[in-house]
Amino acid sequence: MKRIIITLCICTAWAASAYAQYPYTLKKCLEEGLANNYSIRITRNEEQISHNNATLANAGYLPTVDLSAGYTGTLDNTDTKTRSTGATASERSIYDQTLKAGLDVNWTLFDGFNISTTYKKLQELERQGETNTRITLEDFIAGLTAEYYNYVQQEIRLKNFLYAVSLSKERLRIVEERYHIGNFSRLDYQQAKVDFNADSAQYMKQQELVVTSRITLNELMAVQEVNRPLRVNDSIITVNDDLHYDELWESTLKTNANLLKAGQNTTLAQLDYRQVLSRNYPYVKLNAGYGYTFNKYETNATRQRSNWGLNGGITVGINLWDGNRRREKRNASLQIRNSQLEKEQLELGLKADLSNLWQAYRNNLRLLNLERQNLVAARENHEIAKERYLLGDLSGIEMREAQKSLLDAEERILSAEYNTKVCEISLLQLSGRITKYLE
């Protein structure tokens, strides 16, 4: 038994000294995580890619300029037979050379509104990249906030179990003293020892849960030393009991990131449809260039020749039929309808989720108020039982039952606080107001 007590004291002292090194608030955890979390950094890079793609050049507004050069050499053998005389002239290893260089400019002036539609699509994809980043950020804030309060919950539970150990230790001390003077039986002593060992084991298991939560919190903040000691400033779980359903739903319709993304998907589908329609219009293309050609002949009457100068032209055309346009138009129209249906489905799902979370939130608030009353009664009951136990008017089993009732009441109120907090976090995330935890 002494060995168990020493182990518990050492573990408690180590935990206290380690946790004291890093005082963290929720805001500090969020700021560190937002700066370092890998998923957020990846999403931000993807957002930058969509920003880089939204350019006039990528849409096709600007001309293309090509500089090219080439060299060609031919090595020939020829036999020439004169018709009048019948004589044959033979020439061997005739080497002719051609060198070309030029600057070419190609510019699509009009492509049936396809270029302007493409540019609008790239801009919409850029906005969707920002929305994707916002979704990732909000998911991260919600996840880290929930884990932060889970860590607070686990630490509070650890303190409750440590208090249970201290109560069992004191009971064991009393029973042991009275056992030696003959007031208590050996059965009472053994039962008190069993209860103390059980509480000690429960405390040790809870220490493992605290460490697991701490590692998860450090991982979310992208701390390389995931087992880094961590102490949070919050010692209780505070809940916001001032949320209103109508305000939450109105905010959801206006600012929910997933709903915003669904609207952007509808816009993209409409732009795809316009791209298909643009093929019904003619196209106008302009080309111009400046070139230089050098020829060198071995047997020709002209030994060498050089050409240089400007060239230019304009092409006007229209695609009359390609066999796919009608199919693509029907599919693009269906895709617009699908995106609209998906948005309506998402809106209905959000309303259902909000309603369920609201019911759970309100029920947990009522449950929390009830458990607070129960905790007051359980503490009074435990104090009365303790006094009667010291006077010898209460058995060890009854004393243990009063202690268990107190610990159960503390556990229920802790679970109610955490469950209410999780509902609060989810409601704020759905309504697009999760960033309030950064304030």
Side-chain angles (χ1 to χ4, degrees):
M1 181 184 71
K2 292 181 179 180
R3 185 177 299 175
I4 294 175
I5 297 175
I6 293 172
T7 302
L8 290 175
C9 292
I10 292 174
C11 291
T12 304
W14 174 84
S17 62
Y19 294 165
Q21 298 178 21
Y22 299 95
Y24 266 78
T25 62
L26 173 60
K27 182 179 179 180
K28 188 174 181 180
C29 289
L30 288 172
E31 289 174 345
E32 184 171 330
L34 289 172
N36 301 326
N37 183 267
Y38 289 103
S39 296
I40 293 177
R41 289 158 66 183
I42 291 171
T43 305
R44 282 175 174 157
N45 288 338
E46 292 174 347
E47 178 188 352
Q48 185 61 42
I49 290 173
S50 65
H51 173 72
N52 295 339
N53 287 336
T55 63
L56 294 174
N58 195 29
Y61 267 113
L62 303 183
T64 60
V65 181
D66 297 305
L67 178 64
S68 61
Y71 171 82
T72 303
T74 60
L75 183 63
D76 294 324
N77 298 313
T78 62
D79 290 324
T80 304
K81 186 175 182 179
T82 306
R83 184 182 297 275
S84 59
T85 63
T88 300
S90 298
E91 293 177 306
R92 297 291 182 264
S93 300
I94 302 170
Y95 186 56
D96 294 335
Q97 304 174 65
T98 302
L99 176 65
K100 291 183 177 182
L103 185 69
D104 297 309
V105 178
N106 294 282
W107 195 359
T108 301
L109 299 178
F110 180 73
D111 194 17
F113 304 106
N114 180 59
I115 296 176
S116 60
T117 303
T118 300
Y119 186 55
K120 292 178 181 178
K121 185 176 179 180
L122 291 173
Q123 290 178 313
E124 192 65 27
L125 288 172
E126 180 183 14
R127 286 188 284 269
Q128 191 170 80
E130 296 172 356
T131 304
N132 288 334
T133 300
R134 179 186 161 191
I135 291 173
T136 302
L137 291 176
E138 290 182 352
D139 288 343
F140 171 78
I141 293 173
L144 189 142
T145 303
E147 188 56 45
Y148 176 88
Y149 284 107
N150 178 53
Y151 184 55
V152 174
Q153 173 190 221
Q154 299 301 340
E155 285 201 316
I156 295 173
R157 187 172 287 125
L158 183 67
K159 293 176 183 177
N160 291 342
F161 287 157
L162 182 60
Y163 177 62
V165 171
S166 66
L167 292 178
S168 298
K169 178 184 175 183
E170 177 65 15
R171 177 186 161 208
L172 179 61
R173 184 190 65 79
I174 295 172
V175 171
E176 188 174 11
E177 290 178 355
R178 294 188 177 184
Y179 167 68
H180 288 306
I181 63 176
N183 286 348
F184 279 151
S185 67
R186 183 170 179 80
L187 177 62
D188 293 327
Y189 173 71
Q190 292 294 340
Q191 184 61 49
K193 188 174 182 180
V194 168
D195 292 339
F196 172 75
N197 290 339
D199 291 340
S200 300
Q202 196 171 27
Y203 175 77
M204 292 178 181
K205 291 179 181 178
Q206 182 59 29
Q207 282 184 315
E208 181 181 347
L209 295 178
V210 170
V211 171
T212 300
S213 180
R214 185 180 73 229
I215 291 174
T216 302
L217 201 55
N218 282 327
E219 182 185 12
L220 286 171
M221 291 188 288
V223 176
Q224 295 302 316
E225 182 56 45
V226 293
N227 201 25
R228 176 188 67 172
L230 188 68
R231 180 175 64 85
V232 296
N233 281 356
D234 292 274
S235 58
I236 59 173
I237 300 176
T238 56
V239 298
N240 181 5
D241 59 356
D242 195 33
L243 298 179
H244 302 283
Y245 179 84
D246 292 336
E247 293 179 2
L248 290 170
W249 177 238
E250 183 180 355
S251 179
T252 299
L253 292 176
K254 290 181 179 179
T255 61
N256 181 270
N258 287 294
L259 202 57
L260 178 61
K261 183 178 179 180
Q264 291 168 343
N265 286 334
T266 299
T267 302
L268 289 171
Q270 292 170 343
L271 290 173
D272 287 337
Y273 182 77
R274 289 177 61 182
Q275 281 186 314
V276 175
L277 294 182
S278 68
R279 289 154 63 182
N280 295 328
Y281 295 88
Y283 56 83
V284 180
K285 297 182 180 181
L286 178 68
N287 60 84
Y290 184 88
Y292 172 77
T293 303
F294 173 78
N295 295 294
K296 185 176 182 181
Y297 308 103
E298 193 166 62
T299 61
N300 199 300
T302 302
R303 182 176 180 80
Q304 63 184 37
R305 182 178 181 179
S306 298
N307 297 316
W308 63 88
L310 294 169
N311 63 82
I314 186 169
T315 302
V316 178
I318 185 170
N319 181 271
L320 298 178
W321 186 79
D322 58 12
N324 290 316
R325 196 176 311 168
R326 181 178 296 180
R327 174 184 59 82
E328 292 177 3
K329 182 180 177 181
R330 287 198 299 264
N331 289 346
S333 179
L334 289 172
Q335 188 58 47
I336 292 175
R337 182 55 183 157
N338 277 346
S339 63
Q340 293 171 342
L341 291 173
E342 288 171 358
K343 183 179 180 181
E344 293 173 7
Q345 182 184 30
L346 177 60
E347 185 175 323
L348 181 61
L350 289 173
K351 190 170 187 179
D353 291 340
L354 188 68
S355 298
N356 288 330
L357 287 169
W358 177 255
Q359 293 299 323
Y361 169 74
R362 297 303 302 172
N363 186 62
N364 278 307
L365 281 178
R366 290 191 291 267
L367 184 63
L368 183 57
N369 291 329
L370 179 62
E371 292 301 341
R372 284 171 178 165
Q373 298 174 21
N374 288 340
L375 180 60
V376 173
R379 284 174 177 169
E380 292 179 357
N381 182 58
H382 180 264
E383 290 299 322
I384 295 172
K386 186 177 179 180
E387 292 176 1
R388 292 183 59 191
Y389 182 73
L390 292 174
L391 295 174
D393 294 337
L394 201 68
S395 67
I397 295 177
E398 291 173 317
M399 180 61 199
R400 177 65 177 179
E401 187 64 29
Q403 178 184 337
K404 186 176 182 301
S405 296
L406 175 60
L407 294 175
D408 287 345
E410 290 175 338
E411 176 62 26
R412 288 195 305 271
I413 195 171
L414 182 59
S415 296
E417 287 174 341
Y418 180 69
N419 291 336
T420 306
K421 194 67 181 180
V422 170
C423 289
E424 173 195 323
I425 293 169
S426 299
L427 286 170
L428 293 177
Q429 184 182 11
L430 279 178
S431 59
R433 296 159 57 183
I434 192 69
T435 54
K436 72 177 292 294
Y437 291 115
L438 287 169
E439 299 174 356

